[in-house]
Amino acid sequence: MKAKKRDIVHKLKIARGQIDGILQMVEEDRYCVDISTQLQSTQALLKSANQQIMQAHIRSCVREALQTDVENPKLEEALRLLEKMAQ
């Protein structure tokens, strides 16, 4: 992966910690709105990491695929991933 690996790993570790915290909140029957807020925060962090990964993919693999007239599965793969992200 050509994305900023260190930054992405950091974000994923934070998200993992947040999920552990959310599990504890659920087990302790904490206030639902507080749990929902933490879930939204974790989702935003994961979305940010995913965007970084996709940007790196587009800047490297897709760019290379576009520099040739030969049909390249990397381009189709990127388009499918973008479709999923838009849902």
Side-chain angles (χ1 to χ4, degrees):
M1 170 184 359
K2 296 180 181 180
K4 294 180 181 176
K5 187 175 181 177
R6 189 176 185 178
D7 187 38
I8 292 169
V9 167
H10 180 69
K11 285 181 180 181
L12 293 175
K13 286 182 179 181
I14 290 171
R16 180 175 54 194
Q18 287 177 326
I19 290 171
D20 288 340
I22 293 166
L23 284 168
Q24 185 175 355
M25 291 174 77
V26 170
E27 289 169 352
E28 294 172 355
D29 292 323
R30 299 272 297 274
Y31 187 53
C32 295
V33 174
D34 292 342
I35 295 169
S36 179
T37 300
Q38 290 303 312
L39 284 166
Q40 290 174 17
S41 174
T42 305
Q43 288 171 330
L45 188 59
L46 291 171
K47 183 176 181 179
S48 173
N50 190 37
Q51 286 174 340
Q52 277 187 272
I53 290 169
M54 286 307 302
Q55 287 172 357
H57 179 66
I58 289 168
R59 287 187 178 112
S60 61
C61 298
V62 174
R63 179 180 285 158
E64 289 173 14
L66 292 174
Q67 292 177 351
T68 178
D69 291 335
V70 177
E71 196 170 308
N72 192 311
K74 295 276 187 192
L75 181 58
E76 294 304 316
E77 179 182 55
L79 291 172
R80 283 191 305 276
L81 286 170
L82 288 173
E83 279 181 31
K84 287 180 185 179
M85 288 176 67
Q87 295 177 350

